[in-house]
Amino acid sequence: MKFDQQMLRLYAVTDRRWLSGRSLEDVVEEALAAGITMVQLREKHMDPEQFLKEACSLRVLCHRYHVPLLIDDSPEICLRSGADGVHVGQDDMSVQKARALLGPDKIIGATAHNVAEALMAERLGADYLGCGAAFGSHTKENARPIDRSTYRDITSAVHIPVCAIGGITEENIGELRHLGLSGVAVISGIFASDQIGASCRKLLRLSSRL
């Protein structure tokens, strides 16, 4: 799929720790039906072949809802599964190498924590930036919060869209207004919810006000 910044409006990043016995596909489909605009499959410790199988399954599901699927930190899984792109962190494969492997048509997102990292990712060919942690993180113990002025500096410095990530919930998303953000990437605020559909619909409404 061709990238559009509207895809960042409510970007769901998977985390199977909160599945509570349900399959990842069932939980993602509930979120898709509620309007999420992009999905990132994140599996840091899964066997590669199982990871590929899961990516193929989610790619079919996401495309049924006309929503792109990105793979965290694995251009190889992206290519083999037919996913729409990858997201790479500062400690992962470089944007430049990912672009060389995936070609011009795949979506490539990159993590940035400051203006220098944001400008470098843009120069190397990233389509969007994920910047955080906005409010700390339930998934990364060493994540450092980004202050609001840094968000403003990043969105003012680059020409590609920027989404916030890190501890974003229905209660605090409003604090990210007027910072130049195109959307939010949410993990626990979606997958730890006991009413995923309702949470997604509310987050979607709130993110439209950013």
Side-chain angles (χ1 to χ4, degrees):
M1 297 183 191
K2 185 176 180 180
F3 179 71
D4 184 281
Q5 70 174 11
Q6 291 299 317
M7 293 172 176
L8 295 178
R9 186 174 164 191
L10 183 54
Y11 182 4
V13 181
T14 67
D15 191 326
R16 61 176 51 255
R17 289 182 300 169
W18 292 297
L19 295 182
S20 300
R22 300 178 64 187
S23 72
L24 182 63
E25 288 75 12
D26 284 347
V27 172
V28 170
E29 182 159 25
E30 185 174 352
L32 286 164
I36 60 171
T37 53
M38 191 149 72
V39 176
Q40 181 187 138
L41 176 59
R42 178 184 282 178
E43 295 288 1
K44 292 295 188 183
H45 308 292
M46 183 173 280
D47 171 81
E49 289 307 310
Q50 183 62 33
F51 191 3
L52 174 61
K53 182 179 178 181
E54 189 167 71
C56 291
S57 178
L58 281 189
R59 185 257 304 161
V60 172
L61 176 61
C62 288
H63 287 187
R64 191 184 309 153
Y65 286 85
H66 308 288
V67 168
L69 172 68
L70 271 63
I71 306 297
D72 178 56
D73 183 32
S74 182
E76 180 184 1
I77 295 293
C78 175
L79 285 173
R80 293 177 66 191
S81 68
D84 300 286
V86 296
H87 185 93
V88 293
Q90 287 294 315
D91 298 323
D92 300 331
M93 179 182 291
S94 71
V95 171
Q96 185 175 30
K97 187 172 181 180
R99 179 62 73 197
L101 288 170
L102 297 177
D105 298 327
K106 295 290 188 183
I107 301 167
I108 296 180
T111 297
H113 306 97
N114 52 55
V115 171
E117 291 177 357
L119 288 170
M120 178 61 73
E122 180 181 42
R123 185 175 68 80
L124 294 178
D127 293 298
Y128 75 87
L129 300 173
C131 297
F135 303 101
S137 174
H138 295 291
T139 57
K140 294 185 178 181
E141 293 181 1
N142 60 347
R144 295 181 179 179
I146 287 182
D147 61 38
R148 304 300 167 259
S149 63
T150 300
Y151 273 120
R152 290 192 191 94
D153 290 344
I154 291 172
T155 59
S156 297
V158 299
H159 298 91
I160 56 177
V162 179
C163 70
I165 186 171
I168 297 168
T169 66
E170 301 168 23
E171 291 73 30
N172 61 28
I173 188 174
E175 298 178 36
L176 300 173
R177 295 179 68 185
H178 311 305
L179 301 179
L181 296 165
S182 295
V184 291
V186 182
I187 307 172
S188 61
I190 292 175
F191 291 96
S193 173
D194 56 4
Q195 296 185 34
I196 288 173
S199 293
C200 288
R201 286 187 288 271
K202 186 170 183 180
L203 284 164
L204 193 62
R205 288 196 303 272
L206 294 170
S207 69
S208 69
R209 304 173 187 171
L210 293 180

